[in-house]
Amino acid sequence: MLDVRARFEALLADGVARGVLRAEDMVVYPAALLGMVRGAMIQAVRDEDETSTPRRAAALARLFLHGASAGAERVGARGEGGGA
C-alpha cells in the first residue's frame, strides 16, 4: 500500500504544481483518495460487479476533483452553511 500512496502523492503534487488542486489541502489528499479507491474496490468485490469499474472510476475522479455538491448555485440558494 505504501507504493500506491507514494504514487498518489506524486500524482497529487503534480496537480498542485499545475494549479488544479489547492496546495493548502495537500496534506489530506493522498489518504482521502486512497480511502475512496479502497472503498470503491471493496464495494465492487462485495457487489460482484466488474462491469461498473469504469463508471466507479469516473465517479471517484469527479467526486475527488469537484466534491459531492450539486453545484454552487444550489448550495448558495440555501445559504453558506446549507442550513434552512
Side-chain angles (χ1 to χ4, degrees):
M1 222 23 119
L2 291 176
D3 184 48
V4 172
R5 185 180 172 93
R7 289 175 189 250
F8 280 176
E9 287 173 352
L11 176 68
L12 297 166
D14 185 57
V16 168
R18 293 173 185 253
V20 177
L21 300 172
R22 292 186 302 269
E24 63 270 17
D25 298 330
M26 180 60 187
V27 68
V28 299
Y29 293 156
L33 185 56
L34 185 57
M36 292 168 63
V37 169
R38 184 181 296 152
M41 289 170 54
I42 290 168
Q43 184 179 14
V45 168
R46 186 194 71 216
D47 295 347
E48 297 179 9
D49 183 6
E50 296 174 9
T51 61
S52 69
T53 300
R55 286 193 317 268
R56 288 179 201 256
L60 284 177
R62 201 170 35 254
L63 177 63
F64 184 80
L65 293 172
H66 304 291
S69 172
E73 65 280 354
R74 293 185 66 192
V75 172
R78 293 191 314 254
E80 186 62 34

